[in-house]
């Protein structure tokens, strides 16, 4: 307790500052964060439709409001008033519960994201973050893992095969990609030496983690697309295979809640990536004392970075075709997870050596170089290729039996050779006029 | 931070907020546990258990153990219960529990062990209520107060051997499950890959290297009912469908003529094509 009491004499830390908020400020922040999700969803839908429209050489929505930008607002007003269709075979209680379970955890996740540094709101000093926990990173992950229940239960309770398949796919997909995502976050936590989001942002003042920990960033980016069920990984709602996937049987407001959950999840993973890898609310190349990193300006930097990532989502959807399910699982388990594990071990080793203090960067590089050379030399020892079995039929060209590429086509067949020899012999014996007619008939036969 | 400071010096007591949270979460936990036992549907049962796990996680959070609380939510609620649900869904929603006792003496053993567990729990609870001094509130921001750093240090120093033992056990279980689940598919008699199938076909293990001809391959129609004709005009038997009655052989005269190359070529000046198969038959 003593170090902890001594800490209180220092200027207030961020956590103390947030804990010190009066009730009205907490409520204000909570309402803003709660509204942020739906507002960004409405904007994102219309932005996505217009951006994808541009990519496909068509205008996109252009009727409602200036430039068509109010289209999703109109859709959002219309959806709750549509008829609710509930399937006869549905498990009604779970069917009603599923959209709520999908949407609520999604809205909670934004609470742990630091949107900006210390500011003054109506004369009250506070930090732009709703809650600050020593483990805020886990709060976001927990929200994501609860949110899957919504999708899985929606698929099961609809009582028809396509939603069930969508729900099963989704469960497998999110669990697999959460592992890769968690492992990508581990290296960030090891580098920042904290699980608190604001501490991770502060630790990035000397350099953003997206280039310091590039493999982690790459793995996170891929797994965040998988985690949010977005194209090219939108297998749970693949319309060409599963009609609408888990939400096939949903309509009206309940369908709108699934939509809300999907887009808020996109916002959360993007905000989380901004916090973990892109320096959060920090402006690049200037210290935390710079006026660019004080007051309300950093909120702008935060949202700019987040929108770049969100545009990445839209861009992916406009560009890439959907993965096949087994390829997708192979990517997750055989590429991302092992790569993340190896990388975490490397990071842990580097941190352990660095913390030791006796080793310089030059020595690390030399040892690393030696290790790489040894690995390359060892890889040369591996046998080149598996020798095929003795009685196997040689197969070329994509697994189908086709003639080898260097096949020599004989110019003459034995039969034709024999016929030609016979004709030659006959020509010697018979008169010239007769021989020519016989040769012609022979050629006709061949 | 301020609430911790207020509590740190004083006697450890239960604050109002903690009491309110407990009296909301405690009954919810109990409700979830009871619901799990009494629910008829297996998936509903699993969902009640999820409620219990979530409430427990919340209780840990309230008691200044955020790392433990979120780990509870992520691991138990997020991963383990999701796997349960996954299996239950694959089993199907209409399947009900079998009441046949598979293991001999299962019920007796369960009853004895259940009474034993109840006794242990009752004993522990009595002690907890009777004589336990309340612990000082922890400060989760420090490694000593239940932070992730302190926990990690303990796992990898004092408790390294039990930790490694547990991981070895889990890996063994995982490997065992995989071996049991995949033997059938990957044994010699199992499913052949595309390449193995091709090679087996060419080695002569099947009646022909190519797939069987579809109906209507050499004929003039692509209907399933139209059988394939061999070059001599006879019907290829393997192209006949077992399920659908084929077109009667009498209707195949035109097709036979076409296969034999005797059909009349279309008149270049005519506005209509040659006679259709059906028209000649009628």
């Amino acid at each position: 307790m003593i170090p902890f009491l001594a800490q209180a004499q220092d200027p207030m830390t961020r956590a103390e500052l947030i804990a010190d908020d009066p009730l009205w400020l907490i409520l204000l922040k909570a309402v803003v964060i709660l509204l942020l999700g739906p507002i960004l969803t409405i904007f994102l839908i219309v932005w996505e439709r217009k951006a994808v429209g541009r990519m496909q050489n068509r205008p996109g929505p252009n009727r409602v409001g200036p430039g068509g930008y109010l289209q999703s607002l109109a859709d959002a007003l219309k959806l709750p008033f549509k008829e609710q269709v509930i399937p006869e075979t549905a498990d009604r209680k779970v069917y009603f519960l599923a959209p709520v379970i999908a949407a609520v955890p999604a809205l909670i996740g934004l609470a742990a994201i630091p949107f900006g540094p210390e500011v003054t709101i109506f004369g009250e000093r506070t930090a732009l973050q709703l809650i600050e926990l020593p483990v805020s990173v886990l709060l976001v992950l927990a929200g994501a893992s609860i949110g899957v229940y919504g999708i899985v239960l929606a698929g099961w309770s609809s009582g028809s095969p396509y939603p069930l398949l969508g729900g099963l796919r989704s469960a497998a997909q999110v669990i697999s990609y959460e592992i890769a995502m968690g492992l990508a976050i581990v290296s960030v936590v090891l580098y920042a030496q904290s699980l608190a989001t604001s501490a991770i942002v502060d630790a990035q003042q000397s350099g953003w983690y997206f280039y310091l920990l590039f493999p982690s960033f790459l793995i996170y980016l891929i797994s965040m697309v998988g985690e949010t069920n977005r194209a090219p990984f939108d297998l749970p709602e693949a319309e060409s295979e599963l009609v609408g996937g888990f939400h096939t049987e949903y309509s009206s407001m309940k369908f709108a809640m699934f939509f809300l959950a999907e887009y808020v999840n996109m916002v959360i993973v993007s905000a989380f990536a901004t916090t973990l890898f892109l320096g959060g609310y920090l402006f690049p190349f200037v210290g935390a004392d710079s006026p660019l990193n004080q007051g309300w300006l950093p909120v702008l930097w935060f949202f700019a970075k987040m929108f770049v990532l969100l545009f990445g989502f839209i861009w992916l959807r406009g560009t890439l075709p959907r993965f096949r399910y087994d390829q997708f699982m192979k990517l997750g388990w055989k590429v991302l997870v092992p790569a993340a594990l190896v990388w975490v071990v490397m990071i842990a080793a580097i941190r352990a050596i660095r913390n030791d203090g006796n080793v310089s960067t030059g020595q690390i590089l030399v040892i690393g170089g030696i290790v790489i050379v040894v690995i390359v030399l060892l890889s040369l020892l591996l046998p080149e290729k598996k020798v095929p079995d003795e009685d196997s039929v040689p197969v070329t060209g994509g697994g189908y039996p086709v003639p080898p590429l260097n096949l020599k086509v004989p110019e003459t067949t034995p039969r034709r050779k024999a016929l030609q020899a016979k004709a030659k012999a006959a020509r010697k014996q018979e008169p010239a006029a007769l021989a020519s007619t016989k040769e012609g008939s022979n050629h006709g036969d061949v | 931070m301020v609430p911790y400071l207020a509590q740190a010096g004083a006697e450890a007591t239960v604050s109002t907020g903690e009491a309110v949270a407990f009296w909301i979460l405690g009954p919810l936990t109990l409700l979830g546990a009871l619901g799990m036992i009494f629910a008829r549907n297996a998936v509903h049962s699993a969902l009640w258990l999820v409620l219990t796990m979530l409430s427990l996680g919340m209780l840990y959070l309230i008691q200044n153990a955020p790392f433990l609380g979120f780990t509870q939510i992520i691991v138990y609620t997020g991963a383990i219960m999701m796997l349960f649900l996954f299996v239950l869904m694959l089993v199907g929603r209409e399947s009900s529990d079998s009441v046949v006792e598979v293991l001999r003496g299962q019920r007796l053993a369960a009853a004895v062990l259940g009474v034993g567990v109840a006794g242990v729990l009752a004993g522990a609870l009595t002690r907890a209520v009777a004589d336990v001094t309340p612990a000082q509130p922890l400060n989760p921001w420090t490694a000593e107060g239940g932070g992730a750093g302190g926990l990690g240090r303990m796992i990898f120093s004092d408790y390294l051997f039990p930790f490694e033992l547990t991981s070895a056990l889990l890996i063994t279980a995982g490997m065992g499950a995989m071996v049991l689940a995949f033997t059938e598919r990957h044994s010699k008699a199992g499913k052949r890959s595309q390449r193995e199938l091709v090679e087996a076909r060419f080695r002569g293990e099947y009646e022909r290297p190519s797939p069987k001809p579809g109906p209507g391959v050499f004929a003039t129609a692509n209907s399933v009912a139209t059988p394939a004709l061999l070059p001599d005009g006879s019907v290829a038997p393997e192209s006949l469908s077992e399920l659908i009655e084929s077109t009667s052989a009498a209707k195949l005269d035109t097709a036979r003529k076409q296969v034999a190359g005797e059909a009349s070529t279309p008149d270049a000046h005519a506005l209509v094509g040659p006679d259709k198969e059906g028209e000649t038959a009628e």
Side-chain angles (χ1 to χ4, degrees), chain A residues 1 3-5 7-8 12-13 15-16 19-20 89-91 93-94 97 101 132-136 138-139 141-143 145-146 148-149 152-153 155-160 164 167-169 171-172 175 178 194-196 198 391-395 398-401, chain B residues 1-5 8-9 41-44 46-47 50 54 58 61 65-68 70-71 73-83 85-90 92-94 136-142 144 146-149 194-195 198-200 202-203:
Chain A
M1 279 309 128
F4 167 42
L5 280 174
Q7 213 178 26
M12 280 172 136
T13 62
E16 287 170 317
D20 207 24
T89 47
D91 186 318
K93 284 172 197 134
V94 182
L97 199 65
I101 295 179
E132 169 72 338
L133 290 165
V135 289
S136 342
L138 296 184
L139 174 88
L141 284 180
S145 67
I146 299 291
V148 201
Y149 275 95
V152 172
L153 292 177
W156 177 77
S157 65
S158 296
S160 72
L164 182 65
L168 284 178
R169 277 187 179 190
I175 290 175
E178 217 169 62
S194 174
L195 278 165
S198 60
D391 74 334
S392 74
V393 183
V395 170
Y400 290 99
Chain B
M1 210 46 98
V2 176
Y4 309 143
L5 276 175
N41 190 314
V43 172
H44 290 174
L47 283 180
V50 169
L54 261 181
M58 295 289 178
L61 288 182
F67 183 75
L68 184 62
F70 281 117
T71 314
I73 293 177
I74 293 173
V75 174
Y76 281 92
T77 320
I80 295 182
M81 284 317 295
M82 184 52 78
L83 284 178
L85 214 58
F86 201 93
V87 173
L88 289 176
M89 286 176 163
L90 284 176
R93 44 187 304 191
E94 265 79 43
Q136 287 291 324
L138 294 169
N139 174 18
W141 289 90
T142 60
E144 296 79 31
Q194 198 173 5
R195 173 179 286 257
V198 165
E199 290 180 359
F202 273 76
R203 214 182 286 123

Side-chain angles (χ1 to χ4, degrees), chain A residues 329-350:
Chain A
M329 278 292 158
K330 198 178 258 179
L331 175 71
W333 286 102
K334 293 189 176 169
V335 180
L336 292 183
V337 171
L341 275 174
V342 169
W343 176 242
V344 164
V345 170
M346 273 173 67
I347 288 288
I350 290 172

Side-chain angles (χ1 to χ4, degrees), chain A residues 268-303:
Chain A
I268 287 177
V269 289
S270 302
F272 201 41
T274 306
T275 307
L276 293 181
F277 294 101
L278 300 180
Y281 50 78
L282 298 172
F283 192 80
F285 310 121
V286 293
D289 303 329
S290 152
L292 284 172
N293 276 336
Q294 300 287 330
W296 287 90
L297 265 181
V299 181
L300 273 184
W301 316 145
F302 184 89
F303 277 96

Side-chain angles (χ1 to χ4, degrees), chain A residues 256-424:
Chain A
M257 283 175 91
F258 281 119
F259 232 78
L260 178 76
E262 178 180 331
Y263 280 85
V264 174
N265 272 327
M266 262 167 72
V267 171
I268 287 177
V269 289
S270 302
F272 201 41
T274 306
T275 307
L276 293 181
F277 294 101
L278 300 180
Y281 50 78
L282 298 172
F283 192 80
F285 310 121
V286 293
D289 303 329
S290 152
L292 284 172
N293 276 336
Q294 300 287 330
W296 287 90
L297 265 181
V299 181
L300 273 184
W301 316 145
F302 184 89
F303 277 96
K305 292 171 191 175
M306 198 175 87
F307 276 114
V308 169
L309 287 174
L310 286 171
F311 181 73
F313 272 109
I314 296 170
W315 197 0
L316 280 179
R317 185 181 163 185
T319 312
L320 294 177
R322 187 175 299 124
F323 261 53
R324 214 173 63 201
Y325 191 69
D326 60 326
Q327 290 172 335
F328 172 70
M329 278 292 158
K330 198 178 258 179
L331 175 71
W333 286 102
K334 293 189 176 169
V335 180
L336 292 183
V337 171
L341 275 174
V342 169
W343 176 242
V344 164
V345 170
M346 273 173 67
I347 288 288
I350 290 172
R351 290 268 2 151
I353 294 166
R354 272 284 169 83
N355 286 355
D356 210 18
N358 295 328
V359 193
S360 69
T361 316
Q363 280 170 310
I364 293 175
L365 286 177
V366 168
I367 293 170
I370 291 171
V371 168
I372 290 172
V373 167
V374 167
I375 289 173
V376 167
L377 286 178
L378 281 177
S379 71
L380 290 179
L381 290 176
L382 291 172
E384 283 275 305
K385 242 183 186 178
K386 213 170 73 180
V387 183
D389 298 339
E390 289 249 331
D391 74 334
S392 74
V393 183
V395 170
T396 56
Y400 290 99
V402 293
L405 290 174
N406 57 356
L407 179 75
K408 278 260 162 54
V409 182
E411 282 176 7
T412 53
T413 59
R415 181 167 175 254
R416 188 182 284 179
K417 228 182 235 171
L419 284 171
Q420 275 172 355
K422 206 173 164 190
K424 226 178 229 174

Side-chain angles (χ1 to χ4, degrees), chain A residues 29-341:
Chain A
K29 281 184 187 174
V31 168
V32 168
I33 281 187
L34 208 61
L35 285 179
L36 202 61
I39 290 172
L40 279 177
T41 302
I42 285 176
F43 170 70
L44 270 177
I45 292 173
V46 76
W47 188 33
E48 173 167 24
R49 290 180 64 183
K50 285 195 90 75
V52 171
R54 271 297 169 82
M55 289 174 190
Q56 296 168 350
N57 276 332
R58 57 186 173 82
N62 60 356
R63 295 291 144 144
V64 187
Y69 273 100
L70 295 183
Q71 177 67 50
S72 16
L73 198 66
D75 288 343
L77 285 176
K78 177 195 68 176
L79 259 178
F81 296 109
K82 294 187 84 168
E83 188 193 351
Q84 290 202 27
V85 182
I86 301 168
E88 188 71 15
T89 47
D91 186 318
R92 288 180 79 97
K93 284 172 197 134
V94 182
Y95 181 82
F96 277 96
L97 199 65
V100 182
I101 295 179
V104 171
L107 291 169
I108 288 174
L110 278 177
I113 303 288
F115 287 98
E118 219 180 286
V119 291
T120 308
I121 300 177
F122 301 127
E124 187 73 37
R125 271 177 67 228
T126 183
L128 284 177
Q129 189 177 357
L130 179 58
I131 44 170
E132 169 72 338
L133 290 165
V135 289
S136 342
V137 169
L138 296 184
L139 174 88
V140 181
L141 284 180
S145 67
I146 299 291
V148 201
Y149 275 95
I151 295 175
V152 172
L153 292 177
W156 177 77
S157 65
S158 296
S160 72
Y162 284 137
L164 182 65
L165 287 174
L168 284 178
R169 277 187 179 190
S170 169
Q173 171 173 342
V174 177
I175 290 175
S176 320
Y177 274 68
E178 217 169 62
I179 293 172
M181 193 184 222
L183 286 171
I185 292 169
V186 164
S187 49
V188 171
V189 171
L190 279 175
Y191 245 77
Q193 297 191 321
S194 174
L195 278 165
T197 42
S198 60
I200 290 174
V201 171
D202 286 341
Q204 291 181 66
Q205 281 174 19
S206 51
W208 294 1
Y209 288 149
F210 86 91
Y211 65 88
L212 290 177
L213 301 168
F214 186 70
S216 292
F217 183 55
L218 209 62
I219 292 168
Y220 183 89
L221 282 188
I222 297 172
S223 55
M224 83 178 184
V225 182
E227 176 98 10
T228 46
N229 298 334
R230 290 277 306 180
F233 301 148
D234 56 345
L235 299 150
E237 40 191 307
E239 61 268 14
S240 53
E241 301 161 25
L242 300 175
V243 190
F246 61 88
H247 58 58
T248 305
E249 303 288 357
Y250 278 88
S251 52
S252 183
M253 191 64 199
K254 292 199 277 299
F255 174 73
M257 283 175 91
F258 281 119
F259 232 78
L260 178 76
E262 178 180 331
Y263 280 85
V264 174
N265 272 327
M266 262 167 72
V267 171
I268 287 177
V269 289
S270 302
F272 201 41
T274 306
T275 307
L276 293 181
F277 294 101
L278 300 180
Y281 50 78
L282 298 172
F283 192 80
F285 310 121
V286 293
D289 303 329
S290 152
L292 284 172
N293 276 336
Q294 300 287 330
W296 287 90
L297 265 181
V299 181
L300 273 184
W301 316 145
F302 184 89
F303 277 96
K305 292 171 191 175
M306 198 175 87
F307 276 114
V308 169
L309 287 174
L310 286 171
F311 181 73
F313 272 109
I314 296 170
W315 197 0
L316 280 179
R317 185 181 163 185
T319 312
L320 294 177
R322 187 175 299 124
F323 261 53
R324 214 173 63 201
Y325 191 69
D326 60 326
Q327 290 172 335
F328 172 70
M329 278 292 158
K330 198 178 258 179
L331 175 71
W333 286 102
K334 293 189 176 169
V335 180
L336 292 183
V337 171
L341 275 174

